[in-house]
Amino acid sequence: LVRCQACRAICFVAIVLAMGTPARGQAVEDVPHFPTIQAENLLGESLSIPQDLPGEVRVVFIAFRQRQQPQINTWLAVGDRLETDFPGLRYFEFPTISWPYRVMKPMIDNGMRSGIPARAARARTITLFTNVSRFVDAVGLPGTDEIATLVLDAQGRVRWWTTGPHTEEREADLRDVLSRSNIR
């Protein structure tokens, strides 16, 4: 039993550091799992996320608000290049919406379909209706003010993340993580 206030604080910090919580833009070894969510892509195919996602490694771009789509768009060409450079990698776009809006799913999905004519893009666009605050906590994100880019391994563990639109620095960090993962 730790009785001294300063000693308790030191113990708390040591425990938090030992837990290996994900740090923005850094790969970590002991990380949370992406929560299982039942969803459909824009082709109407039912999926259990992340288990049913193809690929050894998955890069997911997550938006929490419609106005964040331009930030997502900054990453999409990068996703195409990553799939070419790392053949075991697949990328996905996850519009993430509070579960009460599920009643509006047909209207929401039809609106997205009208802006996404390509079949491949519709297949990788998967709307997640969930408790957004629990979801954000589960994957270790700081909030919903910016989009998030996550790297998930085959077991659905969050191996790396960052927030915000594409930058050369963020892409370099992402490629470094992927290269160290021996994905080829």
Side-chain angles (χ1 to χ4, degrees):
L1 183 63
V2 180
R3 296 173 194 254
C4 156
Q5 190 72 12
C7 294
R8 274 191 227 142
I10 291 169
C11 287
F12 175 76
V13 171
I15 290 168
V16 168
L17 292 174
M19 290 173 59
T21 52
R24 177 184 171 131
Q26 295 181 5
V28 293
E29 296 304 318
D30 186 23
V31 295
H33 278 77
F34 194 93
T36 299
I37 300 174
Q38 300 303 314
E40 288 183 2
N41 64 19
L42 291 183
L43 295 177
E45 299 167 334
S46 295
L47 300 161
S48 182
I49 307 300
Q51 297 86 340
D52 292 343
L53 296 176
E56 291 174 45
V57 170
R58 299 80 173 244
V59 173
V60 297
F61 306 115
I62 303 170
F64 301 100
R65 294 173 183 81
Q66 183 180 11
R67 66 178 166 75
Q68 293 173 330
Q69 188 61 46
Q71 287 186 30
I72 293 287
N73 293 347
T74 66
W75 281 102
L76 298 180
V78 175
D80 289 335
R81 290 190 304 268
L82 292 173
E83 284 188 352
T84 299
D85 297 344
F86 301 94
L89 180 142
R90 297 292 172 262
Y91 78 93
F92 302 90
E93 184 177 343
F94 291 166
T96 304
I97 302 169
S98 184
W99 66 268
Y101 290 100
R102 185 161 178 76
V103 298
M104 298 175 65
K105 181 183 180 338
M107 186 173 63
I108 292 168
D109 284 352
N110 284 334
M112 284 191 282
R113 268 187 214 100
S114 69
I116 304 173
R119 182 173 175 79
R122 287 181 176 186
R124 70 174 158 255
T125 303
I126 304 165
T127 308
L128 306 182
F129 289 94
T130 189
N131 181 314
V132 175
S133 60
R134 285 186 189 160
F135 171 81
V136 166
D137 289 344
V139 296
L141 296 174
T144 61
D145 291 337
E146 293 188 285
I147 67 162
T149 300
L150 281 66
V151 173
L152 306 178
D153 65 17
Q155 290 74 41
R157 292 178 296 217
V158 179
R159 305 306 291 187
W160 178 90
W161 65 269
T162 192
T163 59
H166 171 268
T167 65
E168 294 299 323
E169 182 182 353
R170 289 178 183 141
E171 181 179 349
D173 290 345
L174 172 56
R175 286 180 172 278
D176 182 56
V177 168
L178 296 172
S179 294
R180 286 187 283 124
S181 300
N182 297 319
I183 305 163
R184 295 279 173 211

